[in-house]
Amino acid sequence: MDEDSEVTQPQEQSCWATLPDVCLRRVFWWLGDRDRSRAALVCRKWNQIMYSADLWRYRTITFSGRPSRVHASEFESALWYIKKFGRYLEHLEIKFLNPYNAVLTKKFQVTMRGLLSCLGKSNNRLRSLSIQHLELDRLVWRNSIRGSLIKSLSFFLKKMGKHLDHLSLKGARLTVEQGCHILNSLSYTQNENMASELNIEDFFSHHLAVYGSSQFNKAMATFRNLTFLTLNYNCISDELLETLSENNAGTLRTMNIKCHVHDPHGQVVWGMSWAKLARQASNLKVNFFFERVMKYERLARILLQEIPVRSISLRSCYFSDPDWSMRPTLTDLLPTFRNTLQKLTFEFNNNHESLDEQLHLLILACRKLFYFKIWAFLDVKFVERILKSQEEGQCSLHTLKVRIYTNRYETNEEDRTLREIYRKYRKLIDSELNYFVVAYPMM
């Protein structure tokens, strides 16, 4: 056969053309929006795959609270996305970061009105909604803007509340009336709500004694399937615990309770109320997070022995009070929970008292403790004592994180000792521990 009659061989087909749909969806799942839009232009098949529900189930929409040309299109892009792919959404998280002025809060409110309206019309599969840290009590939120946003959110929850399994409105900072209005929206169609996870930490503004509100207790009575509940201690009352015992005893597993120094926390809650809840919700574990609430007298009123406490976090940041002592809490209060405590987190300024011995004894007393984190003034040898106890089987830590405060700028001596300790217990650390220890100048 001569050159003129030579048959031209067809070009080999790319392996991408024969890749199964399930593999293509997995590849596209890792792409960002810009790359996905480009991939959709390659061919008809790829364009069809791009509309697969699997690719659009999870979404985080972030709005910048600062005026910027770079972020100018965020609001329009969010609406475009919801209109095009909102019907596939199952988990939606919305963030509005530190709004700078009323112009931006107004723009956010208008965008949210359109976004929630569109989502309410096209979606019937949304299971999780998170809108955190709105801080609606700030001055940048004018009354009319705040009211319009709450109205849009309430209307959306009335329509979609029966589908939602998880709702987080952490950091909304509302009045009691506004907050209860939103919570009641969830049960608008059925007079009860089957959501299993509810996060209302900092949902109400600081300084509000929510525990005395009959509106709040009535709103919480509509929840009948709670598994995880996160809230502030200024919401806790005997009435609330009674309500949880009656309506959620079979499901409730975890309560996360934050107690901030600016929140009212002097209410009397009876141990028998906690005992009843713990008895009926037999799998319940309670985690406490204290922010600058450090005095023994206050803690003892809150940490009642009837509570099934799993985790305690005590943080005073860098505040120092020479009249305050951590010792009674470590020796008298926390050992009460030696049979249930699994996690301990401390961050305090104890420059006026040594607590190494008390901390060590507390760790040894809590036999279920697997996580220990502390930022405080400590002797470097404290770490060695903990590792020695771990080696001898006296404790069973999985995580040990220590920041040792010092009163000197230079930490060369402490660093050298810590390196020696690490070398001595390296085999133990590498095999058993998530280990982080550092010396830190506290000037």
Side-chain angles (χ1 to χ4, degrees), residues 239-299:
E239 290 75 16
L240 175 65
L241 298 180
E242 179 69 26
T243 297
L244 293 175
S245 297
E246 291 179 359
N247 299 337
N248 299 275
T251 58
L252 193 60
R253 298 290 183 273
T254 302
M255 287 182 68
N256 300 310
I257 302 175
K258 176 183 176 181
C259 185
H260 192 278
V261 67
H262 294 314
D263 287 336
H265 51 270
Q267 71 269 36
V268 175
V269 180
W270 291 100
M272 64 181 71
S273 299
W274 276 113
K276 181 180 179 180
L277 178 59
R279 187 170 58 252
Q280 297 191 2
S282 56
N283 294 315
L284 175 64
K285 302 298 179 188
V286 182
N287 305 313
F288 278 97
F289 303 87
F290 294 95
E291 298 282 345
R292 294 172 57 192
V293 179
M294 304 294 290
K295 292 188 176 180
Y296 173 82
E297 294 76 16
R298 294 184 178 184
L299 292 172

Side-chain angles (χ1 to χ4, degrees), residues 358-402:
Q358 290 74 23
L359 287 164
H360 185 212
L361 291 175
L362 178 62
I363 292 173
L364 297 182
C366 300
R367 300 297 295 173
K368 292 185 178 181
L369 193 70
F370 69 85
Y371 181 99
F372 184 75
K373 175 183 174 182
I374 183 166
W375 294 3
F377 283 94
L378 300 165
D379 190 285
V380 176
K381 292 294 183 179
F382 170 78
V383 176
E384 186 171 16
R385 294 173 67 185
I386 300 301
L387 292 173
K388 189 174 187 298
S389 298
Q390 179 88 1
E391 187 177 55
E392 294 173 352
Q394 296 177 343
C395 57
S396 303
L397 294 176
H398 297 166
T399 298
L400 179 62
K401 297 186 177 182
V402 183

Side-chain angles (χ1 to χ4, degrees), residues 28 77 91 210 297 328 420:
F28 292 161
S77 298
H91 305 271
V210 185
E297 294 76 16
E420 292 172 358

